[in-house]
Amino acid sequence: MSKISDPAARVEVIVPVHNQLHVVRPCLESIARWTDADLDCVTLVADACDRNTLDFLKDWAVTWQSAQVLETRRNYGFVRTCNLGLEMSHAACCVLLNSDTCVTPGWLDKLCTCMESDSEIGSV
């Protein structure tokens, strides 16, 4: 695996979503506000979302520099939805972010710094 700080390395954030637009909206707003250019992609895994949530995710993905929406027709649940996002990724580093999480300034740099601090670390 290439170093995360290596410019060729890719960092992808995967957000599994099952409705609850009232918590998803602030999560994505915080990603847009507090994420620097090191982030390659945001993948939103819409797990059998209702039309309102799915439309919001698709609209947000259009406005973000590099985002995609993966849509499931049936509810797979949290773990399987996370695995679907991970299976689709080609990134050197994947961040699984709960849809009710709001990130803060420097969040991605801090995670990457921790990850790179020891070659034995596989998960942060």
Side-chain angles (χ1 to χ4, degrees):
M1 182 165 95
S2 57
K3 288 289 229 175
I4 298 165
S5 59
D6 178 339
R10 299 180 61 199
V11 178
E12 180 174 351
V13 171
I14 299 168
V15 184
V17 178
H18 178 70
N19 300 323
Q20 297 192 331
L21 190 53
H22 67 284
V23 297
V24 174
R25 186 183 317 265
C27 173
L28 298 182
E29 288 170 354
S30 73
I31 291 171
R33 181 172 184 186
W34 299 117
T35 304
D36 59 24
D38 290 338
L39 180 61
D40 183 66
C41 182
V42 175
T43 298
L44 307 170
V45 187
D47 188 24
C49 287
D50 61 39
R51 179 54 48 199
N52 268 356
T53 304
L54 189 58
D55 288 346
F56 174 80
L57 296 177
K58 288 179 178 180
D59 288 345
W60 189 85
V62 169
T63 64
W64 182 253
Q65 60 193 351
S66 179
Q68 61 182 343
V69 177
L70 302 177
E71 181 181 353
T72 67
R73 300 276 181 213
R74 60 182 275 258
N75 187 339
Y76 286 103
F78 180 75
V79 173
R80 179 69 181 131
T81 303
C82 289
N83 286 334
L84 286 171
L86 291 169
E87 289 168 9
M88 298 298 294
S89 178
H90 299 288
C93 178
C94 293
V95 177
L96 289 171
L97 195 65
N98 286 355
S99 62
D100 62 350
T101 303
C102 288
V103 299
T104 57
W107 75 279
L108 186 58
D109 287 337
K110 291 173 186 170
L111 276 176
C112 291
T113 298
C114 181
M115 183 76 163
E116 292 175 333
S117 69
D118 187 325
S119 63
E120 296 296 311
I121 294 176
S123 177
V124 177

